[in-house]
Amino acid sequence: VGTATVQATIDGIASAAATVIVAASQGGIQTYNLSSNDIAFDAARNLLYVSTDSGSPLDPSAIVPINLTTNTIGTPIAIGRVPTALALSGDGSHLFVGSDSGIITRINLTSLAIDGTVNVYTAVQNLGGQIITSLFTLPGTTDSFIVLTVDPEYSPRPNTLAIIDSGIVRPHTT
């Protein structure tokens, strides 16, 4: 209990240090044995969505919802490919799942069922690699996002950006 300084480091790049206040424990810290590529927090439902990878002991290549109110793991949602990036839609109705095969899967968060896919690799001419490394939804939208991919066949691995609006690739300048 008190204050602590927190700093995150990923791939040798450190964030700015932040001071946080540590309160008394209200039930302890819950840990989960998952191997993950990405996580997304759904504040409206108080759920954490975790993308498991092929090394995970709990349903590889799926999305696992964790209820943070009850500290319970929900039923994994298999997507049929390795999930690499997650993003909630602007209205919180869907979870978009980027993959290692260049496909974005859309999951309806009410039914927890897959209700659409976008093949980024074939939709964008000269997009480059198939691995979706980052996925960002555009605020105020339900089906629009920015995708960053990497091509594992080249060295150095080039990153490519695409803007997709309701399944349609939009022109952009970078």
Side-chain angles (χ1 to χ4, degrees):
V1 176
T3 60
T5 302
V6 178
Q7 186 174 30
T9 303
I10 298 174
D11 295 333
I13 300 172
S15 71
T19 301
V20 295
I21 298 172
V22 180
S25 173
Q26 297 178 1
I29 296 173
Q30 181 67 39
T31 61
Y32 300 96
N33 185 19
L34 297 172
S35 179
S36 174
N37 287 322
D38 201 6
I39 60 174
F41 176 61
D42 182 348
R45 295 172 181 86
N46 203 31
L47 292 173
L48 184 66
Y49 299 102
V50 179
S51 67
T52 60
D53 63 20
S54 59
S56 177
L58 180 67
D59 206 342
S61 301
I63 304 304
V64 177
I66 299 174
N67 185 319
L68 298 177
T69 302
T70 62
N71 285 326
T72 56
I73 295 177
T75 302
I77 306 162
I79 64 164
R81 55 193 62 86
V82 176
T84 55
L86 301 176
L88 286 169
S89 63
D91 67 353
S93 65
H94 289 85
L95 177 68
F96 294 99
V97 183
S99 71
D100 67 340
S101 60
I103 294 174
I104 297 173
T105 302
R106 186 176 71 182
I107 298 173
N108 181 309
L109 294 179
T110 301
S111 65
L112 294 180
I114 295 171
D115 70 359
T117 60
V118 175
N119 189 330
V120 176
Y121 188 67
T122 59
V124 182
Q125 185 178 9
N126 298 321
L127 178 62
Q130 295 186 15
I131 299 173
I132 296 172
T133 58
S134 298
L135 186 59
F136 305 95
T137 55
L138 300 178
T141 67
T142 58
D143 218 9
S144 299
F145 36 87
I146 298 170
V147 180
L148 186 64
T149 66
V150 67
D151 191 334
E153 300 298 319
Y154 294 96
S155 181
R157 295 180 172 159
N159 289 318
T160 306
L161 178 128
I163 298 172
I164 299 178
D165 183 16
S166 299
I168 299 169
V169 178
R170 299 297 181 193
H172 64 280
T173 303
T174 57

